[in-house]
Amino acid sequence: MTKKGLANNLTNYGDPDFSLYLRRSFARSMGYSTEMLARPVVGIATAASGFNNCHRTTPDLVEAVKRGVIAAGGLPLDFPTISLGEVFLNPTSMMFRNLMSMDVEEMIRAQPMDSVVLVGGCDKTLPAQLMGAVSAALPFVYLAVGPMMTGRYQGERMGACTDCRRFWGQYRSGAISKSEIDTVEGTLAVTAGTCAVMGTASTMSCIAETLGVSLPGTAAIPAVHADRLRAAEASGRRAVELIGAGLTVDKIITPGAVENALRVLLAVGGSTNAIVHLTAIAGRLGIEISLARLNELSDTTPVLVDLKPTGENYMEDLFAAGGVGAILRQLSPVLDLEARSVTGETLGERLAADLGYADPAIVRPFAEPYQPVGGLVALYGNLAPRGAILKRAAADPELFEGEGRAVVFSSLDDLNERIDRDDLDVTPDDYLVLQNAGPKAIGMPEAGYLPIPGKLARAGVKDMVRISDARMSGTAFGTIVLHVTPEAADGGALGLVENGDRIRLSVAERRLELVVEDAELARRRGAKSDDAAMVHKRGYGKLFVDHVLQADQGCDFDFLRGVGA
Ligand code: FES
């Protein structure tokens, strides 16, 4: 890589010398000296937004990145991209992840920079930034904004967003009052940063460090900790050093690094969303992730980390307990130690050099794990020929083997309308089925965490088998089968399930079967009107529906996967 600085990617006026002259003269209007303008350029992709509470510290982080870039001899130039604040987007942030990835990729490609630091972290933001940066193929360092600290409610530690759901469940069942839930609302998210538990943002941050695209030891640093600013400064410095070093992204995100990331995902009891995002990121490099392989890894990778929603603790505890380094050290016998990070160091070299501190109460030893097998499993059967995902680490094992009567909701609107009706025909042993909540139907929202029907919640029922083509928040828990592929709106058998059908679930055998004869399913398919995919006549919605792939291909767009300019 040549250090072209501002001479990169010249605006095309048909006269390159004129283009550079014009660019420099306009750049001078920002007050930079000639010496600064001659330096290699480090772009800083930022995703700050008034609609994204998680990224509130971005301006401070950008200043720290700039400090590191300047100290190392570069010229830092920050630029904004789309920001995806998880709870501020309709119908779901997932629908805009690919749009943001295109924004990030194209702005890295089009503007004059030699390397880039990406600053973000909220659920879809981190995957979108990695997808875009991987495709842009410029050297980069990923800097997560870091997790929130916990709050307090009546002496109890509180963190977004596992506790949000727990208290909402209590409110729905009548166990706590309206004024109590209003007070709880003010205690759940009390600092800047991403959700305080091992939700999607934290899982993806751990994955970014494991893939080697973030600096070692940085994933779990709280958003408001001074170490986070030091990580930003170091990321800026490293981005300068990467220019011309030949450490291209395909040398960092290798098949071995992706498998390491899958191991960490399983060991942290991480978010189900992470399998979709990691599949999309790896897919940009032509690396396929097979759900069958996920099952093999899951059986040989115990859950080591005691963090909500699987366990009891929070990201600030993981940071104090040794962070991702402590997890990697425990997993090292099953990891690819030749995988290399942006530091240039192999994972083996990193682990040999680190101090080795770990608090075993939070990061358990491999031989004495928190749970004996990995957090996620893929299920297959006639209901999910291309797979479905269950987060067994956060589910009730008593519901893992059995058969239930289907209680079907044909859409989210139908669910909202009927789930709390007293005349709903449902018992605790039934399986709740939600159709038409997949990628093409509605952008695959986090609607798979179907609420327990009101009358059962009031009777004390805490968990039921729930099946859908939707996703679930990484902070949620329950016996919830997600990502059923293909989705109902894309010809999947999920769309053929009727009230009263029997469904067989076996986590031990990795099976999910609709107990209905093939001939009857064929009859229903023939009688079915068109699939319920979203209808958009123009704009991004049309692009999305026309090109989004199913969950087993990371819900990326068909034209964005694979290697190439
Ligand atoms: Fe941003 Fe949870 S809302 S990470």
Side-chain angles (χ1 to χ4, degrees), residues 54 86 122-123 194-195 201:
C54 300
E86 185 59 24
C122 191
D123 282 15
T194 49
C195 286

Side-chain angles (χ1 to χ4, degrees), residues 131-446:
M131 290 159 72
V134 163
S135 291
L138 212 60
F140 73 89
V141 180
Y142 193 82
L143 175 68
V145 295
M148 291 179 200
M149 303 295 286
T150 53
R152 294 287 186 281
Y153 174 65
Q154 296 184 348
E156 188 183 349
R157 282 212 298 170
M158 305 281 276
C161 218
T162 305
D163 297 319
C164 319
R165 294 170 200 287
R166 185 164 56 87
F167 277 89
W168 190 250
Q170 289 180 18
Y171 173 61
R172 276 178 54 78
S173 70
I176 64 171
S177 67
K178 175 78 171 80
S179 72
E180 280 175 288
I181 195 74
D182 287 347
T183 307
V184 165
E185 184 183 294
T187 66
L188 293 162
V190 294
T191 73
T194 49
C195 286
V197 299
M198 191 54 80
T200 304
S202 296
T203 306
M204 289 308 301
S205 176
C206 293
I207 282 177
E209 182 175 330
T210 306
L211 284 174
V213 295
S214 293
L215 292 181
T218 59
I221 304 169
V224 294
H225 197 293
D227 280 354
R228 180 60 58 194
L229 293 169
R230 278 183 276 275
E233 183 181 309
S235 297
R237 184 180 282 277
R238 185 60 195 156
V240 177
E241 294 164 355
L242 279 174
I243 300 168
L247 196 52
T248 47
V249 67
D250 56 314
K251 295 192 177 111
I252 295 170
I253 304 182
T254 58
V258 170
E259 198 149 306
N260 288 348
L262 282 169
R263 292 273 191 193
V264 165
L265 164 60
L266 294 161
V268 301
S271 164
T272 48
N273 290 319
I275 187 69
V276 177
H277 299 318
L278 184 58
T279 299
I281 294 162
R284 296 292 182 100
L285 286 161
I287 301 170
E288 299 290 336
I289 291 183
S290 125
L291 292 182
R293 181 64 180 149
L294 174 74
N295 278 343
E296 289 170 15
L297 296 177
S298 194
D299 287 341
T300 53
T301 311
V303 177
L304 299 177
V305 176
D306 179 358
L307 245 64
K308 292 188 178 196
T310 303
E312 292 302 319
N313 298 288
Y314 297 87
M315 283 301 286
E316 65 196 49
D317 304 312
L318 177 60
F319 173 59
V324 170
I327 302 166
L328 293 171
R329 204 162 39 250
Q330 290 302 324
L331 289 175
S332 61
V334 293
L335 295 179
D336 177 356
L337 298 179
E338 292 304 310
R340 205 171 281 280
S341 79
V342 285
T343 63
E345 210 177 33
T346 65
L347 181 56
E349 288 165 348
R350 170 188 171 178
L351 296 181
D354 80 7
L355 292 175
Y357 173 73
D359 177 353
I362 306 293
V363 180
R364 303 284 174 88
F366 195 90
E368 298 164 48
Y370 185 68
Q371 292 182 0
V373 287
L376 307 181
V377 284
L379 307 170
Y380 292 95
N382 66 346
L383 196 46
R386 285 161 53 191
I389 295 286
L390 172 77
K391 186 172 182 177
R392 62 178 165 183
D396 180 355
E398 293 200 352
L399 298 175
F400 283 3
E401 310 297 321
E403 193 177 298
R405 184 185 67 139
V407 175
V408 181
F409 301 91
S410 61
S411 68
L412 279 168
D413 286 344
D414 184 32
L415 176 75
N416 291 337
E417 213 169 282
R418 295 195 294 123
I419 190 74
D420 286 338
R421 279 178 32 178
D422 286 340
D423 62 353
L424 181 69
D425 179 12
V426 65
T427 73
D429 298 328
D430 291 337
Y431 290 5
L432 304 181
V433 173
L434 172 64
Q435 299 167 323
N436 298 313
K440 282 185 186 291
I442 191 168
M444 208 180 183
E446 291 185 339

Side-chain angles (χ1 to χ4, degrees), residues 24 47 81 95 144 190 336 352 374 408 423-424 487 499 507 518 553:
R24 286 210 184 109
T81 66
M95 191 161 162
V190 294
D336 177 356
V408 181
D423 62 353
L424 181 69
E487 65 174 298
N499 278 321
V507 177
D518 288 347
Q553 293 184 293

Side-chain angles (χ1 to χ4, degrees), residues 69-122:
V69 171
I70 292 169
L75 171 63
L77 294 175
D78 55 315
F79 62 99
T81 66
I82 293 171
S83 185
L84 303 176
E86 185 59 24
V87 298
F88 293 96
L89 289 154
N90 176 276
T92 165
S93 61
M94 186 63 181
M95 191 161 162
F96 304 101
R97 183 201 63 178
N98 296 350
L99 180 65
M100 181 176 178
S101 83
M102 292 167 72
D103 178 2
V104 170
E105 175 181 348
E106 298 306 331
M107 287 304 99
I108 293 174
R109 277 188 196 286
Q111 298 176 124
M113 61 190 83
D114 300 290
S115 67
V116 60
V117 178
L118 302 112
V119 185
C122 191

